[in-house]
Structures are given as structure tokens and as C-alpha cells.
Amino acid sequence: MPPADPTTGTGAAVPVPDDVSSDVASGSDAESGPLADPGADGQGEDTMDLHLPDELIALIGEEEAGSYGARGPGHDTAEPSPSLNTTGDSFVPSALPFLPTKDDLLDRVAGWGPVDTSAGVFHLVPVRIERDLPLVSRWMNDPAAAAFWELSGPPNVTEDHLRAQLGGDGRSIPCIGALDGTPMSYWEVYRADLDPLARHYPARPHDTGLHLLVGAVADRGRGLGGLLLRAVADLVLARRPSCARVIAEPDIRNTPSIAALLTAGFRFSSEVELPAKRAALMVRDRSLRHVM
């Protein structure tokens, strides 16, 4: 899968540039062939007519209108992590629980909910092509991102990359990161133990990988990279009880990305030779989350 963040700010006392080049976790091509689907033969499945109440239909209509929003009333937050003010288009996350149609390998990312940070309320919202492609494609054509993600060019280049994940078996979920309702970053949350990356390091069951691209130039160099990486890594560990480690694999030359990950509580584990790069394997351990 491609890299991570051309602009994650580090915010740490590390003597490197404070923007993370688009590669906080790249190099592991996402091969997502479908997994076996229990019940695919139709055996034992019952169907029935279901009348949805008007309130639920209205709620669905709001979601389809599709904005990105900050936390609304009744939304709980995950464990608080480090806050900022941004303005822009409202981005409203799904008000309905995530109802997967395939095996859900990442414990319902769409239902993880918002998290309070010292920069504001942060929310991971699964990508919708019709809503998000223009924005993500524009971010991918930024030279700082293009150098690592290699998805520059016409929108169909980014679209193919997104559809490969959205049409797969659920082992990789592309998301927009919204801060106080403003879309400002692109994320991929993926099963590192089911990714080709697992051939190159001693993977453990349910290892979860992160790729991050801070898209908005105004959000780069402000320390947001390390702050949000910590917040999302903690969110993964809070929402995925079977996951003991969060993984990232930036290019070994990408010192700003590595610095941001160190700021976020990741530790350097080893150098690994991947097909497209030599990477720094970075690990955030559940057992060390309150120490680092």
C-alpha cells in the first residue's frame, strides 16, 4: 500500500523538519482478494419485509446528503488524545451503525466515532468516491505527496486505488480524517497481518497498519501529524481489542514521518526491505501505550 504523510507535523523535540512526507506507512501493496463468505450459498438465510420508520428514513437521507461533521449530541468519544481550530466545509460522519456486507476484518471502522484531541474533535469517515474523489485526487497531486504515494495524475488514478480497497474484502479501509468537521487528511487503516507487508516482518494476528497523508498545506508543519497518529493509534487499540500492535512502515529516508511516529508513541523496530523501498518498521504496542 502507498505511504503515509507528506505533511504530518511532528510536534516532538526531534531535529528534523516538522512536516511528514507522504509516507507514514507505505510500501505494502494492498492485495485484497475476497475471502470466503459464509452463507454465500444462501442456505439458512431468511428474508422478510421491513418497514422503516419515518425517523430512520430521514436519518438515512441526511447521511446520503453526505457531509463531514464534528461530533453531534449523543456521540461518545474514544479515549481522549491530544486540540486547533479549522474552518471549511462541514463533514458529517454516518449517523447509522456500520452494517458491513462482507466479513468485517477491521471491527467496523465507520462506527468508531469521534475522538477529542488537543487540536479539536477528530473523526475517521470511510471514503465515498462520489463525495471525496476530487479532494483526495487533489491532495495526491501535491508534489510532497506524489513523491511517496505515486498516485498523481488524472482523478481516475486515485479512483482506481480507492476502488481496489472499497471493492475488496475489507482488509483495508480508506478514510477521510475530519478535524472539527473539516476534511484535512487521508488515511488507510489496514490489516497488516493480511497485507503483503506480513511477508517481510514477524507479523502477529490482528496487527493493524496505518497510512496517513495530511492533505491541506495549511495543516502541515504544525505538529498535527504526531498528534493525530497517536490519537488514531489509540483509537485502533480501543476499538480493536484483538489488536495488540499498530504498525507503520515509512521509507527509511523519510525522517519527518519517522519523527512524527516517534512523537506518537511508536518505537523503531527494524529496517525491512520491501519491494518498493527500504522501510522503517514502526510499532505502537498496546502494552506500552501508557508509557510512550
Side-chain angles (χ1 to χ4, degrees), residues 149-170:
W149 286 81
E150 299 181 352
L151 291 173
S152 60
N156 66 287
V157 175
T158 297
E159 181 176 2
D160 290 347
H161 177 75
L162 296 175
R163 289 195 184 279
Q165 296 173 79
L166 296 171
D169 57 18

Side-chain angles (χ1 to χ4, degrees), residues 37-246:
D37 183 8
D41 58 0
Q43 298 274 339
E45 291 187 357
D46 294 325
T47 60
M48 63 179 180
D49 293 331
L50 177 65
H51 175 70
L52 298 178
D54 293 339
E55 294 83 359
L56 185 56
I57 293 173
L59 208 57
I60 294 172
E62 291 176 7
E63 159 62 9
E64 288 305 312
S67 54
Y68 314 71
R71 181 184 61 235
H75 274 130
D76 294 331
T77 60
E79 297 186 10
S81 261
S83 190
L84 210 179
N85 295 322
T86 52
T87 58
D89 297 333
S90 167
F91 187 95
V92 176
S94 173
L96 296 175
F98 180 43
L99 303 176
T101 57
K102 306 175 239 188
D103 287 350
D104 187 358
L105 300 176
L106 282 162
D107 297 304
R108 304 185 178 188
V109 172
W112 285 2
V115 57
D116 285 329
T117 79
S118 62
V121 177
F122 184 76
H123 205 124
L124 280 178
V125 183
V127 161
R128 290 218 310 260
I129 296 286
E130 68 279 7
R131 178 192 64 195
D132 302 320
L133 178 59
L135 180 62
V136 178
S137 179
R138 186 169 76 245
W139 287 345
M140 292 298 179
N141 277 280
D142 183 290
F148 290 97
W149 286 81
E150 299 181 352
L151 291 173
S152 60
N156 66 287
V157 175
T158 297
E159 181 176 2
D160 290 347
H161 177 75
L162 296 175
R163 289 195 184 279
Q165 296 173 79
L166 296 171
D169 57 18
R171 71 181 66 184
S172 181
I173 306 294
C175 296
I176 295 294
L179 188 61
D180 284 340
T182 299
M184 48 73 64
S185 54
Y186 171 73
W187 297 74
E188 291 171 354
V189 184
Y190 69 98
R191 284 286 297 271
D193 60 326
L194 302 179
D195 190 84
L197 174 65
R199 303 169 189 158
H200 304 278
Y201 84 104
R204 298 178 187 172
H206 295 281
D207 278 355
T208 303
L210 295 178
H211 295 154
L212 165 62
L213 164 64
V214 174
V217 174
D219 289 323
R220 301 175 187 175
R222 304 169 61 180
L224 285 176
L227 186 154
L228 295 179
L229 282 165
R230 180 181 288 272
V232 173
D234 285 348
L235 190 61
V236 169
L237 294 173
R239 299 305 192 214
R240 301 204 67 230
S242 55
C243 171
R245 306 188 303 178
V246 183

Side-chain angles (χ1 to χ4, degrees), residues 79 204 230 233-234 237 243-247 261-269 282-292:
E79 297 186 10
R204 298 178 187 172
R230 180 181 288 272
D234 285 348
L237 294 173
C243 171
R245 306 188 303 178
V246 183
I247 304 296
L261 287 159
L262 291 171
T263 300
F266 286 72
R267 61 180 174 83
F268 174 79
S269 175
M282 308 294 293
V283 179
R284 180 154 173 76
D285 303 273
R286 178 183 295 278
S287 60
L288 299 178
R289 62 191 299 202
H290 299 302
V291 179
M292 300 177 66

Side-chain angles (χ1 to χ4, degrees), residues 238-259:
R239 299 305 192 214
R240 301 204 67 230
S242 55
C243 171
R245 306 188 303 178
V246 183
I247 304 296
E249 16 78 29
D251 192 299
I252 193 68
R253 301 165 298 174
N254 193 341
T255 52
S257 288
I258 295 170

